[in-house]
Amino acid sequence: MNSIRINAALGQLLAAILLVSQIQGSQKAKPEPPPNIRRVNAALQALALNRVESIYPPQAAAARIFGTVVVEVTVDESGNVASVRALSGHPLLKDAATDAARGWTFKPTIVDGKPIKVIGTLAFTFKLPEYLLRDRNIEQLKKQIAVSPQNPNLQYRLGLAFEANE
């Protein structure tokens, strides 16, 4: 009777071992999706094959708005921008930055012989056009002259500003 119990116990043990090995085998058979890699501005820009410059929005120029917009991009396995979202920056500049980022293409990132998605940031800096800076300088000098009309230095600087603006 003991041998029957031992044989039954061994049979159950063998069945349990087979079941565990089948479960482990099925878990190993499912390949893990490759992880996304995160890259910051400089590292992502180093992989750029095609860059699209942002276009200064006329509304932002008229309002004399400038600054940097940081956008997060997801680059697919083939190196194209799959999604874009603005993380920071003035609202009047965000659309121009995201539009430009959509046009970028990148060298695909390969991990273990397979291309993977990359998430990273790009920074777009908007500077006021030179002509707006000159116009602003002229307006400031006119205001200063209105306060101090006899100041020859202000008159001279205003003349230089007009000359540079031509």
Side-chain angles (χ1 to χ4, degrees):
M1 188 109 159
N2 279 341
S3 66
I4 294 174
R5 286 185 185 163
I6 292 173
N7 284 340
L10 283 174
Q12 289 176 348
L13 180 61
L14 266 162
I17 290 171
L18 279 172
L19 181 63
V20 167
S21 68
Q22 286 176 348
I23 291 171
Q24 287 177 343
S26 67
Q27 288 175 349
K28 289 179 185 175
K30 295 178 185 176
E32 275 188 39
N36 292 336
I37 290 182
R38 290 200 162 271
R39 297 192 188 267
V40 293
N41 188 27
L44 189 59
Q45 283 194 20
L47 297 174
L49 297 174
N50 181 46
R51 300 167 192 239
V52 175
E53 293 298 320
S54 55
I55 297 172
Y56 210 117
Q59 306 91 330
R64 291 177 167 50
I65 293 170
F66 58 93
T68 300
V69 177
V70 176
V71 297
E72 179 182 75
V73 295
T74 301
V75 179
D76 66 17
E77 294 84 356
S78 61
N80 297 313
V81 174
S83 67
V84 180
R85 72 182 176 111
L87 299 177
S88 66
H90 194 281
L92 286 177
L93 301 172
K94 285 182 178 181
D95 286 344
T98 57
D99 289 345
R102 282 187 185 91
W104 285 46
T105 56
F106 298 88
K107 179 180 175 186
T109 299
I110 309 294
V111 173
D112 294 332
K114 296 179 183 177
I116 63 165
K117 288 183 181 177
V118 174
I119 299 171
T121 57
L122 297 172
F124 293 89
T125 301
F126 295 85
K127 296 179 183 176
L128 282 175
E130 194 64 35
Y131 72 90
L132 288 177
L133 293 173
R134 287 192 303 261
D135 289 348
R136 182 168 53 173
N137 187 30
I138 289 171
E139 293 305 314
Q140 288 174 344
L141 285 168
K142 285 180 179 179
K143 287 178 185 176
Q144 291 174 351
I145 289 171
V147 174
S148 303
Q150 302 302 320
N151 186 331
N153 186 28
L154 292 175
Q155 298 284 347
Y156 177 73
R157 288 179 39 209
L158 180 61
L160 290 176
F162 273 119
E163 186 178 340
N165 206 20
E166 293 179 356

